[in-house]
């Protein structure tokens, strides 16, 4: 079974801090994604990556950046955390030739910015 | 207008009832249709997928796709309390990017 591991389940950070959210997958998947999930708004795509050192903006990239130095690791960075970035953050991975298999998600990181 | 519309619920039904969950979409290029189940404090997990129009059955779950109406459904027969979760529809064209509905929260009362 593919495993997607997010390093923290819960995080509390202060406004203005630089925040790193880490995601690691163990099945050699090329594609990785970062979403945030908010009540009533569903899953919104922040950034995605189809290969090492490659990144593409999703629907809501403002205030975020990403890093993919190794195939198995995709990091989301909040450059200067703000209270409106309080949310559940979900990482997912996928192998591109198996679209029908969908994404495998991590368990999520619930981030609170105070 | 969102590409994928899903009623957020919450939906509460008694144990043993048949549950119907639905989504509509606007992009006729979508070919892959999926349903994810998300338990509280967990990430979504893929429950079922279908390609193009038609039905697919897996145990108590049936997924239906009507591309002419741009409408997909998930039916749960003999619903159980363990089915209580948020259900997200999702769809994709030929590329890898998947578009999600906002999710319907379902509660099965014992």
């Amino acid at each position: 079974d593919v495993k997607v591991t997010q390093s923290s389940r819960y995080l509390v950070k202060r406004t203005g801090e630089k925040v790193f959210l880490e995601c690691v997958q163990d099945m050699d998947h090329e594609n990785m994604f970062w979403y945030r999930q908010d009540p009533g708004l569903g899953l919104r795509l922040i950034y995605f990556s189809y290969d090492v050192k490659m990144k593409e903006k999703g629907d809501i990239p403002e205030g975020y950046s990403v890093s993919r130095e190794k195939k198995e690791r995709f990091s989301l960075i909040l450059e200067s955390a703000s209270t409106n970035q309080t949310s559940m953050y979900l990482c997912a991975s996928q192998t591109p030739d198996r679209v029908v298999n969908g994404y495998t998600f991590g368990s999520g990181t619930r981030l609170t910015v105070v | 207008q969102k590409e994928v519309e899903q009623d957020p619920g919450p939906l509460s039904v008694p144990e043993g009832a048949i549950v119907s969950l639905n989504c509509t979409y606007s992009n006729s290029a979508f070919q892959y249709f999926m349903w994810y189940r998300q338990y509280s404090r967990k990430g979504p997990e893929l429950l079922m997928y279908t390609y193009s129009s038609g039905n697919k059955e897996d145990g108590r779950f049936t997924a239906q796709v009507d591309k002419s109406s741009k409408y997909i459904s998930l039916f749960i027969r003999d619903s159980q309390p363990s089915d209580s979760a948020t259900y997200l529809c999702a769809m994709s064209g030929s590329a890898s990017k998947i578009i999600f509905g906002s999710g319907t929260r379902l509660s099965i009362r014992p």
Side-chain angles (χ1 to χ4, degrees):
Chain A
D1 269 1
V2 177
K3 204 168 204 179
V4 177
T5 304
Q6 294 184 232
S7 54
S8 305
R9 292 300 304 273
Y10 300 94
L11 274 180
V12 179
K13 296 292 182 182
R14 295 195 180 278
T15 301
E17 275 194 78
K18 191 168 186 176
V19 181
F20 293 85
L21 303 182
E22 305 289 345
C23 175
V24 177
Q25 50 95 2
D26 65 0
M27 282 298 289
D28 204 35
H29 282 178
E30 288 84 356
N31 300 348
M32 296 188 75
F33 305 82
W34 274 106
Y35 286 87
R36 63 178 283 178
Q37 185 176 31
D38 301 287
L41 298 176
L43 287 163
R44 293 182 290 168
L45 181 63
I46 304 171
Y47 267 97
F48 59 102
S49 170
Y50 288 155
D51 205 348
V52 176
K53 297 195 185 294
M54 178 268 179
K55 60 187 177 185
E56 293 280 349
K57 292 180 180 178
D59 300 319
I60 51 162
E62 296 78 19
Y64 303 94
S65 63
V66 290
S67 171
R68 189 141 181 228
E69 296 296 320
K70 293 185 178 180
K71 193 175 187 180
E72 66 270 19
R73 186 180 295 270
F74 192 35
S75 303
L76 180 69
I77 304 154
L78 285 67
E79 298 291 344
S80 177
S82 64
T83 54
N84 63 12
Q85 292 179 309
T86 291
S87 186
M88 167 72 95
Y89 289 87
L90 288 161
C91 174
S93 75
Q94 180 198 43
T95 183
D97 61 346
R98 303 284 293 275
V99 174
V100 294
N101 283 1
Y103 295 167
T104 300
F105 283 91
S107 294
T109 296
R110 185 163 293 281
L111 173 68
T112 302
V113 182
V114 298
Chain B
Q1 185 191 0
K2 289 182 182 177
E3 276 190 289
V4 179
E5 298 276 2
Q6 184 174 11
D7 187 334
L11 181 62
S12 179
V13 302
E15 183 175 354
I18 295 175
V19 176
S20 172
L21 304 169
N22 311 293
C23 287
T24 59
Y25 64 95
S26 58
N27 189 342
S28 57
F30 288 146
Q31 301 179 69
Y32 301 95
F33 302 92
M34 291 151 273
W35 286 94
Y36 283 79
R37 179 176 59 196
Q38 185 177 20
Y39 290 115
S40 181
R41 291 185 290 277
K42 297 280 191 181
E45 57 179 347
L46 182 65
L47 186 61
M48 293 188 72
Y49 74 87
T50 53
Y51 174 71
S52 194
S53 281
N55 293 0
K56 185 172 184 177
E57 191 172 315
D58 184 1
R60 297 184 293 109
F61 297 87
T62 300
Q64 281 187 355
V65 175
D66 181 349
K67 288 189 75 177
S68 62
S69 303
K70 296 190 178 68
Y71 189 88
I72 71 170
S73 301
L74 178 71
F75 298 95
I76 307 174
R77 290 183 300 278
D78 187 26
S79 55
Q80 305 293 311
S82 59
D83 295 327
S84 298
T86 296
Y87 290 80
L88 299 102
C89 63
M91 40 203 85
S92 176
S94 56
S96 299
K97 189 176 169 187
I98 297 176
I99 309 298
F100 289 86
S102 55
T104 299
R105 193 149 50 98
L106 172 66
S107 175
I108 309 297
R109 306 188 302 270

